[in-house]
Amino acid sequence: MSLHEAMLYKKLEDKKVNCYLCARRCHINDGGSGFCLVRKNNDGTLFSLNYAKAISAGVDPVEKKPLAHFNPGALVMSIATVGCNFRCQFCDNWMISQEKGTAGNPLPPEEVVKAARDNDCQGISYTYTEPTIFFEYAYDTSKLAREVGFFNTFVTNGYMTPEAAKTIAPYLDAATVDFKGGGDPEFYKTFSAVPSVAPIFEALKELRRNNIHIEITNLIVPKSGDSLDRIKELAIWIRDGIGKDTPFHLLRFHPDYQLTSIPATPIETLEKAYMTAKEAGLNYVYIGNVPGHASENTYCPNCNEMLIKRYSFAITRWNLTKDMRCPVCGQCIPIKGTLHPSGHSLPYALF
Ligand code: SF4
């Protein structure tokens, strides 16, 4: 077992510790582990068991995160370890997120950065499982990555403490924050074993205060997580709390893991959700996991000109001026970074 002392915890009496990395804020007795099973109290010191143990590494277009308004076309080195602080019954990465051990290939931060360089990436993405629970690994890698000019992005369930958000913020450029079921607290309790959704909104505000580029997804699960009222409520919160230009991705559910009896989200449901979010005042709403759908594209919120045409993770037409404006009406389109016409759109795995 490799031991790396954890960040963001307090030592308590009787060799107990209090972890404040994620919103579960576990109190852990000597010899015990946190809910995520990858942080262990050993003689009153908390250790991260998954440090530099990558269970997955691969190259992805940034559009796969999804990030639609951040360095379009860029390639990212995506890494993950085992473990998660959620127990989503529909997780499409359950084989690694719900893994009980601490399996993984040794891949220290400097090797991640080297792999990013060797594979012509422009950034590094901490993804597939929850980066909050491999925080120390992501933190050290992010620092190194920044030093050599790479950007860093988190794909997260948002269930981190404000302390964690503040700590990673100096090195984090973008975050995709994934909601499920429109943020319905009952949905989270039933399907993800999450007691409260409030910390996700707190973390979002903290990321916003720190000027991190934010995109938000919402997985629409038929029947139990497809309420248009919830989607409207979430869209209004995003509009007022983060900004009406925040990209909002409505994702199609596919049956997986323990929820194989629920069918994929009907396209009609996704389209109704799209209209609901637009009517709530969000300027950039997307439908995800439906390759070829017209709502994969970016449209000008002022004149409706198509500005970026996409097919799945690929950009197939770029119709913005050099200074990121609509060529028809001159509307400024909020896109952070620059276009990276890499020519790659297919993800590939290193292991
Ligand atoms: S990261 Fe979260 S789940 Fe894991 S020990 Fe810390 S508070 Fe508990």
Side-chain angles (χ1 to χ4, degrees), residues 115-166:
R117 197 186 290 117
D118 291 349
N119 286 278
D120 301 324
C121 296
Q122 288 80 39
I124 297 178
S125 193
Y126 309 87
T127 178
Y128 304 143
T129 58
E130 174 51 44
T132 305
I133 58 87
F134 59 91
F135 192 84
E136 293 77 9
Y137 184 26
Y139 180 84
D140 287 354
T141 307
S142 298
K143 278 172 88 171
L144 276 184
R146 266 292 183 79
E147 280 169 21
V148 294
F150 290 127
F151 61 75
N152 295 294
T153 94
F154 266 26
V155 182
T156 172
N157 57 34
Y159 204 62
M160 63 181 81
T161 59
E163 297 94 309
K166 253 184 230 148

Side-chain angles (χ1 to χ4, degrees), residues 8 20-25 85-86 130-133 135 154-169 172 175-177 198-204 206-207:
L8 301 173
Y20 55 93
L21 174 54
C22 94
R24 290 195 185 268
R25 296 186 183 269
N85 53 354
F86 279 16
E130 174 51 44
T132 305
I133 58 87
F135 192 84
F154 266 26
V155 182
T156 172
N157 57 34
Y159 204 62
M160 63 181 81
T161 59
E163 297 94 309
K166 253 184 230 148
T167 305
I168 194 68
L172 191 62
T176 308
V177 178
I200 303 172
F201 294 100
E202 286 307 309
L204 267 168
E206 193 58 49
L207 293 170

Side-chain angles (χ1 to χ4, degrees), residues 19-26 28 33-39 46 84-85 132-133 159:
C19 177
Y20 55 93
L21 174 54
C22 94
R24 290 195 185 268
R25 296 186 183 269
C26 296
I28 311 169
S33 300
F35 182 91
C36 57
L37 303 177
V38 290
R39 294 167 88 73
L46 188 65
C84 191
N85 53 354
T132 305
I133 58 87
Y159 204 62

